[in-house]
Amino acid sequence: MAKALTGKTTQIVLNLLEGLEHKGHCVTMDNFYNSPALARYLKCRGFDCLGTVRLTRKNIPEDVKEMKKNCEKGTIIARHSGDVMVLAWKDAKIVSMISTFHDNSTYTGTRAGEECEKPICVKDYNTTIGGIDLKDQKLSMYPMERKRI
């Protein structure tokens, strides 16, 4: 397990979470940080994990990786390995998610005024990551120069 967790982004996540183990926290990450190995490791450390995941990461199931862009809208492919679920869902684009506490259940949501079935993990991700995206959006209007050394 330690061999799979040697990347710089993984170390950033582990350093941020140091001292918070086994307290029931849920970590929401975007695809820059997430991987199946990290999700499994965090679950062992007492964290739940939710987020988007790049389909090019190691240990992503082949049938999830190979979801076709021309498949029907609303198609869901989900695979579980122990506590980790990887899901690909076709919306306007293919959305790939990873979670340690969801299954592939759906709810009826709306998109452009039309009802559609959406995975619950997508709803939870959008709810928890929304504040970060809003902060990033507001900060983007105020570009700051950094000192160069």
Side-chain angles (χ1 to χ4, degrees):
M1 179 66 74
K3 189 176 183 180
L5 299 172
T6 57
K8 289 181 182 180
T9 57
T10 300
Q11 290 307 312
I12 290 170
V13 172
L14 297 178
N15 288 340
L16 288 171
L17 297 176
E18 192 173 319
L20 300 173
E21 295 88 355
H22 302 289
K23 294 183 180 176
H25 293 289
C26 178
V27 181
T28 304
M29 295 181 281
D30 69 4
N31 64 28
F32 185 75
Y33 297 97
N34 234 333
S35 70
L38 178 60
R40 181 165 283 119
Y41 182 75
L42 290 176
K43 186 68 175 178
C44 293
R45 304 286 298 192
F47 295 99
D48 278 318
C49 179
L50 169 66
T52 55
V53 66
R54 293 180 184 173
L55 294 177
T56 56
R57 298 277 189 196
K58 290 181 184 176
N59 302 320
I60 300 288
E62 286 301 318
D63 51 347
V64 174
K65 277 184 185 181
E66 295 172 3
M67 183 178 210
K68 303 294 183 205
K69 291 183 180 182
N70 59 356
C71 69
E72 187 177 328
K73 198 175 208 177
T75 302
I76 297 173
I77 299 174
R79 297 294 177 258
H80 299 262
S81 175
D83 290 333
V84 179
M85 177 200 65
V86 177
L87 173 141
W89 169 57
K90 175 72 163 120
D91 192 33
K93 296 181 178 180
I94 294 174
V95 178
S96 53
M97 303 290 296
I98 189 167
S99 177
T100 59
F101 64 100
H102 287 95
D103 57 13
N104 58 343
S105 56
T106 62
Y107 74 102
T108 303
T110 58
R111 179 174 170 84
E114 294 181 24
E115 286 190 354
C116 61
E117 289 292 312
K118 298 181 178 184
I120 290 179
C121 64
V122 171
K123 177 184 177 185
D124 290 346
Y125 176 79
N126 289 336
T127 301
T128 56
I129 207 71
I132 302 300
D133 289 340
L134 180 63
K135 178 195 72 96
D136 289 345
Q137 180 184 5
K138 290 187 184 268
L139 283 175
S140 71
M141 293 185 279
Y142 302 98
M144 293 182 278
E145 284 191 36
R146 296 183 182 189
K147 285 187 177 180
R148 294 184 186 187
I149 299 174

